[in-house]
Amino acid sequence: WCLLLAVVIGCVQCQPTLFWASYPVLPGEYVVLAGTGFKAGSPPSETIVTFNTVKVPAAQVTNGTVKVQVPSVFEVDACNVSVDGSNVITLNAPDIWFYMGDSGSYARAGGWIRFFWKKPQYHC
């Protein structure tokens, strides 16, 4: 039983998973990433966060969050982020609230469709 339990626990230790990020964030500011599977017991510098292709050590790590500074060399725009090989989420992307077409939730051929969204506004 002990061996089976060790195998099952070993399988549960998977890659981190991201599901939320605080936004909007500007280059040089800190972003909080929420998810599961982070290395909470190890030093923050061992947790690597990737912004597009730039790798940055985390500033703070808990079981469910990672705090990291967005590289100041980035432009003010959307960028992809992952933690230690996790799934990729996009920071500063437009957030679609709802959409409507000429037939309700869809548009007919030749019809119309409208999207209503929230996009971060920056006043630098």
Side-chain angles (χ1 to χ4, degrees):
W1 288 105
C2 291
L3 180 60
L4 179 60
L5 183 59
V7 170
V8 170
I9 290 174
C11 291
V12 173
Q13 302 281 338
C14 298
Q15 288 183 332
T17 302
L18 290 176
F19 55 79
W20 180 84
S22 60
Y23 80 94
V25 289
L26 294 170
E29 292 183 341
Y30 284 89
V31 62
V32 176
L33 306 169
T36 60
F38 304 129
K39 303 178 206 170
S42 60
S45 60
E46 290 183 11
T47 300
I48 302 300
V49 180
T50 306
F51 291 92
N52 292 340
T53 58
V54 178
K55 296 182 184 297
V56 178
Q60 187 176 9
V61 181
T62 67
N63 287 330
T65 61
V66 172
K67 179 180 171 184
V68 65
Q69 188 174 20
V70 178
S72 57
V73 296
F74 276 11
E75 293 194 23
V76 178
D77 202 359
C79 70
N80 294 323
V81 63
S82 68
V83 176
D84 286 338
S86 71
N87 58 308
V88 174
I89 60 174
T90 304
L91 294 178
N92 297 337
D95 184 17
I96 296 176
W97 286 357
F98 68 94
Y99 57 91
M100 181 173 55
D102 62 342
S103 294
S105 62
Y106 63 95
R108 295 176 293 169
W112 55 265
I113 189 165
R114 294 189 177 120
F115 291 89
F116 299 87
W117 69 87
K118 171 178 69 170
K119 182 176 187 322
Q121 298 293 315
Y122 304 103
H123 305 285
C124 302

